[in-house]
């Protein structure tokens, strides 16, 4: 399906994200015929640039792409514009409106507009307000105006609500696209297909057959150049409030009645509503926080978090968390979900493990003298894109003996090429499909779950007691290792 004509405006276009992610994604969409027939791309930012200078910058950034094709780029470049503006003043936004009106006449983009905020969240409010003031947020029956925002959607429940009220003043919920790039990953999208397009898994997908679920995203990267942001966020806000919660919901949700954005998002919200609140006495058992110290990554010595540039030498920001989460509903009562994420860990792995229970009675126990491990389903999201199921077989030989074997499907061998996360996000936004975007009720429900935990950790001064050091290049703090091991 080809999107309808539209004008895309990228705020913060002089920044890193535009050159590194958005423009390459738009370029690849153009290569594959994924852009509308009529479109324009307008960069808008505080930096004083002319359209020509912006075009030159983008050409330089894009010419390093493997698939760079000058003729195709020439076409895109002729639809590329730049508007300098100050987010706090209406003047530049007025000029932007005039520019978009002219583009409508010259390029037939109609009045369809997408505003992509590739800016720090601190200016979301100013941009939404100015867009509203100059009349760029109105939709007519035949046109759309959409706003795309990236996380963080606030830093706790009150600030998330405040942000929403600001966006709501100018945009209706169906106009707001809150990105989570994990949702755009092919293997994450596959979770619902796997569960609900096969009849053999769903009957056992519950507390009766499943012992625990582990969802993990471990990274080798440290804080990089993002200390300013990360010091304020920490791993719970950076990874749990968004990506990890989405993975949890996809594994735990009830079957939606239709594969349609709101039906799916309704079911996710129900999962979030069922999360057992974290009582202070559970903190020690069900939450393990850590912070990386110096260590060795791939044979190279690396700094500890507190030695990283712009990190406070006595920082208490957690860079690792392992949380045991309980979904209090009929299906999942008593099944722990181990959610884990951390920086500077031994390997980069994004994985979901569904561990099934042992058989209820082992007729082999006397003969084999061994316990039988339960079946195990592993969905690998990174670096592998695969699904594997481990089950028991008879090991060949005269003596009865069991041997676990694994049946595996690798997406690399499947048909068709997936879209990169930003390509998918941009395409869906042009098509108006909110399936892979956060809805506000879910954002608030997740903050409602996490905010008391953050408060317990941060405001009660308990962090010092709960923040366990771990060496960069290890698998995290020792108290978490038992749960980490459930990944392998
Ligand atoms: C981002 C976080 O949302 O996700 C980063 O802000 C993290 O800290 C990144 O590194 C991980 O994404 P991926 O796709 O590399 O697993």
């Amino acid at each position: 399906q080809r999107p309808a004509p539209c004008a895309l405006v990228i705020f913060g276009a002089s920044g890193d994200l535009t050159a590194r992610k958005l423009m390459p994604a738009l370029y690849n969409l153009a290569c594959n015929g994924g852009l509308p027939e009529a479109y324009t791309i307008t960069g808008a930012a505080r930096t004083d640039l002319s359209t020509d200078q912006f075009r030159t910058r983008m050409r330089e950034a894009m010419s390093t792409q493997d698939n760079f094709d000058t003729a195709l780029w020439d076409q895109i470049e002729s639809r590329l514009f730049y508007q300098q503006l100050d987010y706090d003043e209406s003047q530049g936004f007025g000029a932007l409106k005039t520019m978009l009106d002219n583009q409508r006449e010259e390029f037939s983009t109609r009045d369809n507009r997408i505003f992509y905020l590739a800016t720090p969240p601190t200016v979301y409010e100013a941009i939404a307000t100015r867009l509203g003031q100059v009349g760029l947020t109105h939709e007519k029956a035949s046109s759309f105006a959409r706003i795309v925002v990236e996380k963080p959607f606030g830093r706790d429940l009150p600030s998330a609500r405040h942000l929403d009220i600001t966006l709501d003043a100018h945009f209706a919920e169906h106009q707001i696209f809150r990105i989570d790039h994990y949702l755009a990953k092919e293997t994450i999208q596959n979770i619902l297909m796997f569960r609900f397009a096969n009849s053999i898994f769903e009957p056992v997908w519950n507390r009766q057959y499943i012992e625990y679920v582990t969802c993990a995203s471990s990274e080798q990267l440290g804080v990089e150049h993002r200390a300013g942001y990360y010091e304020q966020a920490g791993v719970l806000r950076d990874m749990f409030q968004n990506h990890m919660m989405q993975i949890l919901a996809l594994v735990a949700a009830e079957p939606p009645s239709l594969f349609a954005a709101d039906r799916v998002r309704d079911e996710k919200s129900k999962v979030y509503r069922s999360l057992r609140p974290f009582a202070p006495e559970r903190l020690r058992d069900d939450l393990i926080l850590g912070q990386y110290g110096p260590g060795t990554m791939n044979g190279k010595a690396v700094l500890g978090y507190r030695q990283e540039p712009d990190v406070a030498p006595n920082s208490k920001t957690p860079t690792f968390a392992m949380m045991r989460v309980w979904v209090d509903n009929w299906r999942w009562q008593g099944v722990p979900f181990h959610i884990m994420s951390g920086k500077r860990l031994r390997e980069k792995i994004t994985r979901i493990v569904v561990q099934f229970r042992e058989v209820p009675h082992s007729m082999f126990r006397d003969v084999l003298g061994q316990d039988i491990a339960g079946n195990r389903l592993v969905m690998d999201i990174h670096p592998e894109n695969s699904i594997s199921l481990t089950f028991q077989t008879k090991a060949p030989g005269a003596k009865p003996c069991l041997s676990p074997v694994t049946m595996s499907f690798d997406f690399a061998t499947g048909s068709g090429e997936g879209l990169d996360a930003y390509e998918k996000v941009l395409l869906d936004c042009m098509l108006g499909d909110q399936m892979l975007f956060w809805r506000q009720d879910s954002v608030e429900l997740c903050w409602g779950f996490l905010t008391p935990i953050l408060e317990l950790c941060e405001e009660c001064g308990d962090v010092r007691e709960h923040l366990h050091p771990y060496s960069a290049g290890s698998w995290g703090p020792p108290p978490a290792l038992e749960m980490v091991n459930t990944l392998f």
Side-chain angles (χ1 to χ4, degrees):
Q1 189 186 352
R2 204 157 187 184
C6 76
L8 171 69
V9 180
I10 303 173
F11 288 98
S14 53
D16 195 38
L17 183 73
T18 307
R20 220 163 33 84
K21 297 279 190 192
L22 299 178
M23 210 42 94
L26 289 163
Y27 178 83
N28 288 336
L29 283 175
C31 285
N32 304 327
L35 287 186
E37 249 169 73
Y39 71 90
T40 55
I41 304 166
T42 304
R46 286 186 274 231
T47 311
D48 194 8
L49 290 178
S50 64
T51 284
D52 280 344
Q53 286 168 322
F54 183 60
R55 287 178 174 177
T56 308
R57 268 197 190 196
M58 291 300 120
R59 181 181 284 264
E60 277 166 12
M62 293 301 303
S63 57
T64 56
Q65 289 248 121
D66 288 346
N67 59 348
F68 185 73
D69 168 14
T70 319
L72 177 62
W73 181 255
D74 287 345
Q75 274 178 31
I76 299 175
E77 196 180 77
S78 64
R79 292 150 186 256
L80 201 57
F81 300 89
Y82 187 81
Q83 175 64 50
Q84 192 274 333
L85 41 71
D86 193 324
Y87 302 133
D88 290 320
E89 286 171 14
S90 298
Q91 208 186 352
F93 284 77
L96 176 66
K97 180 167 188 317
T98 310
M99 185 180 261
L100 294 178
D101 286 345
N102 292 338
Q103 289 174 7
R104 177 189 56 212
E105 302 310 317
E106 193 179 338
F107 296 93
S108 309
T109 47
R110 307 194 192 146
D111 270 327
N112 294 335
R113 280 136 196 192
I114 296 176
F115 303 104
Y116 193 113
L117 274 50
T119 61
T122 42
V123 296
Y124 286 180
E125 184 170 346
I127 295 175
T129 307
R130 304 290 162 263
L131 287 172
Q133 280 169 353
V134 300
L136 278 171
T137 60
H138 296 308
E139 291 191 314
K140 296 187 203 123
S142 57
S143 68
F144 61 76
R146 297 178 185 143
I147 187 163
V148 188
V149 289
E150 296 230 25
K151 71 170 183 91
F153 313 123
R155 54 173 286 105
D156 52 19
L157 184 56
S159 55
R161 284 195 176 137
H162 176 81
L163 171 63
D164 185 51
I165 289 168
T166 312
L167 293 178
D168 261 10
H170 305 284
F171 294 92
E173 181 64 27
H174 75 270
Q175 296 177 275
I176 306 173
F177 287 69
R178 299 177 191 84
I179 294 184
D180 188 314
H181 80 277
Y182 265 49
L183 287 181
K185 291 177 191 259
E186 286 284 341
T187 31
I188 300 255
Q189 289 174 52
N190 178 60
I191 300 171
L192 288 186
M193 313 286 172
F194 179 81
R195 289 188 54 198
F196 301 128
N198 296 295
S199 62
I200 58 173
F201 301 111
E202 205 43 33
V204 294
W205 207 261
N206 57 47
R207 67 180 189 291
Q208 229 178 323
Y209 294 96
I210 293 179
E211 188 182 339
Y212 63 79
V213 178
T214 301
C215 308
S217 172
S218 64
E219 297 187 76
Q220 287 193 315
L221 288 181
V223 67
E224 307 292 291
H225 55 278
R226 299 162 74 217
Y229 152 76
Y230 200 85
E231 273 281 86
Q232 301 304 316
V235 66
L236 293 178
R237 291 189 177 88
D238 186 47
M239 292 294 291
F240 277 61
Q241 166 59 21
N242 32 70
H243 314 320
M244 303 315 291
M245 282 294 170
Q246 285 289 350
I247 295 179
L248 167 71
L250 290 167
V251 175
E254 293 301 316
S257 54
L258 256 188
F259 190 58
D262 272 332
R263 305 284 178 103
V264 173
R265 299 192 301 174
D266 285 346
E267 296 306 331
K268 288 183 185 174
S269 285
K270 287 187 204 162
V271 173
Y272 301 138
R273 243 178 239 123
S274 311
L275 294 178
R276 186 181 301 171
F278 242 78
E281 58 277 12
R282 270 182 57 207
L283 210 57
R284 189 175 296 276
D285 289 337
D286 286 356
L287 178 67
I288 296 161
L289 295 176
Q291 188 187 64
Y292 67 84
T296 312
M297 300 287 313
N298 304 324
K300 244 181 74 189
V302 295
L303 297 177
Y305 180 70
R306 292 181 181 183
Q307 291 82 49
E308 300 271 21
D310 300 324
V311 171
N314 57 353
S315 169
K316 292 175 191 146
T317 303
T319 59
F320 172 98
M322 171 64 98
M323 193 185 275
R324 195 185 281 124
V325 173
W326 304 90
V327 182
D328 276 340
N329 62 16
W330 193 271
R331 183 190 287 260
W332 292 116
Q333 196 49 239
V335 180
F337 284 76
H338 310 139
I339 315 286
M340 183 272 247
S341 180
K343 293 206 178 280
R344 283 282 188 240
L345 295 176
R346 180 158 326 154
E347 282 173 48
K348 178 159 176 68
I349 295 181
T350 313
R351 173 176 293 170
I352 301 166
V353 173
V354 179
Q355 177 64 50
F356 290 91
R357 296 190 189 281
E358 284 178 34
V359 290
H361 166 70
S362 168
M363 60 188 245
F364 305 107
R365 189 161 286 133
D366 292 345
V367 186
L368 305 178
Q370 68 182 91
D371 284 337
I372 304 175
N375 299 116
R376 194 176 167 85
L377 179 83
V378 176
M379 298 190 196
D380 265 313
I381 295 147
H382 188 94
E384 312 296 332
N385 275 206
S386 61
I387 301 179
S388 33
L389 181 66
T390 303
F391 53 95
Q392 301 292 337
T393 55
K394 178 187 177 303
K399 194 168 165 282
C401 190
L402 288 176
S403 149
V405 291
T406 299
M407 203 161 62
S408 216
F409 166 69
D410 187 340
F411 279 79
T413 58
S415 57
E417 282 234 343
L419 291 181
D420 150 88
Y422 276 95
E423 289 169 37
K424 177 76 181 143
V425 159
L426 285 162
L427 180 62
D428 281 3
C429 183
M430 289 188 271
L431 292 169
D433 183 352
Q434 290 185 308
M435 175 78 78
L436 303 182
F437 298 82
W438 277 88
R439 200 170 63 186
Q440 180 62 18
D441 58 338
S442 285
V443 173
E444 291 189 17
L445 286 163
C446 288
W447 275 126
F449 172 69
L450 275 177
T451 303
I453 303 175
L454 288 161
E455 281 168 1
L456 279 172
C457 297
E458 290 169 2
E459 285 165 25
C460 307
D462 265 3
V463 161
R464 198 185 300 279
E465 202 185 321
H466 286 284
L467 193 63
H468 301 277
Y470 62 96
S471 305
S474 70
W475 270 118
L481 294 184
E482 197 184 323
M483 275 199 266
V484 171
N485 283 337
T486 62
L487 267 180
F488 304 105

